Amino acid sequence: SLSEFKPQYFNFKNRNKFLSVGRLTKQKNFSFLVNSFSILVKRFKQITLTIIGENAEEEELLKKLIIKKNLQNNVFLLGYKKDINNLYKDYDCFILSSLYEDPGAVLIEAANNFLPIISSDCPSGPKEILEYGKNGFLFKTNDQNDFLKVFEEYINAPENELKNKILSLGKKIEEYTSANHCNDLITILKKNL
């Protein structure tokens, strides 16, 4: 959280290692990401995408798609990891490609680890958490052209812009902490007792 903010977290020189997290389901829309990366690697040769998540109904489809698009050196399926909190530091940016969320716990996790975020503007949560682009980069859900445009905006963003987005996001996610929810609940209970 912001209380643990340390300047060394803000190193935006490298923008090559992308992370996405979620069960391998249609909802998470990872095939969209794989297809998009097949275009992006032609321009940005060094980029990689790591997908961490429980193997589910789309696992085989994604494995085949990675091979078909010849992305074995760029896109990696790591399967389920019990504690991924210590893995975030190995990545430069978090991508959420979901068709819908509820509300987007992985975004909050990524934000707690000071990662810039590129997210679909899907219902319900990401737009609000990223405050319509103030705290991250939003693209139209399932719109590849818009994703590619927004990806490039992230790549070309000045370091200061990324730092400001993360600081702003840090303030926003404090609204989602357990302590904050408890205080809200106490307020509601007091009003109704």
Side-chain angles (χ1 to χ4, degrees), residues 3 50 96 172-173 191:
S3 56
T50 300
L96 183 108
K172 179 69 178 174
I173 61 166
K191 280 181 186 170

Side-chain angles (χ1 to χ4, degrees), residues 39-152:
I39 296 166
L40 289 167
V41 296
K42 293 179 176 84
R43 174 122 191 255
F44 307 101
K45 308 256 185 274
Q46 303 301 312
I47 63 170
T48 62
L49 170 66
T50 300
I51 298 170
I52 296 175
E54 198 176 323
N55 296 337
E57 74 243 23
E58 299 242 314
E59 181 190 4
E60 285 310 309
L61 177 137
L62 290 168
K63 283 179 177 173
K64 286 177 183 157
L65 189 58
I66 289 165
I67 292 165
K68 181 183 170 194
K69 300 285 183 179
N70 199 21
L71 291 170
Q72 298 92 315
N73 297 321
N74 300 89
V75 179
F76 310 101
L77 300 178
L78 287 198
Y80 174 75
K81 299 282 176 217
K82 190 175 177 133
D83 179 27
I84 64 163
N85 225 16
N86 60 346
L87 291 177
Y88 282 96
K89 67 184 181 315
D90 299 330
Y91 297 90
D92 303 320
C93 182
F94 184 85
I95 303 179
L96 183 108
S97 54
S98 298
L99 298 170
Y100 56 92
E101 275 298 327
D102 190 21
V106 288
L107 287 186
I108 295 165
E109 224 167 57
N112 273 325
N113 285 280
F114 307 99
L115 273 187
I117 293 169
I118 299 171
S119 175
S120 67
D121 65 356
C122 70
S124 51
K127 278 192 296 265
E128 293 76 14
I129 292 169
L130 296 182
E131 292 190 271
Y132 302 90
K134 178 183 168 199
N135 305 338
F137 297 86
L138 280 175
F139 65 93
K140 291 184 196 84
T141 304
N142 221 21
D143 182 329
Q144 193 174 64
N145 288 336
D146 200 47
F147 173 75
L148 298 174
K149 185 177 92 104
V150 169
F151 185 92
E152 222 159 300

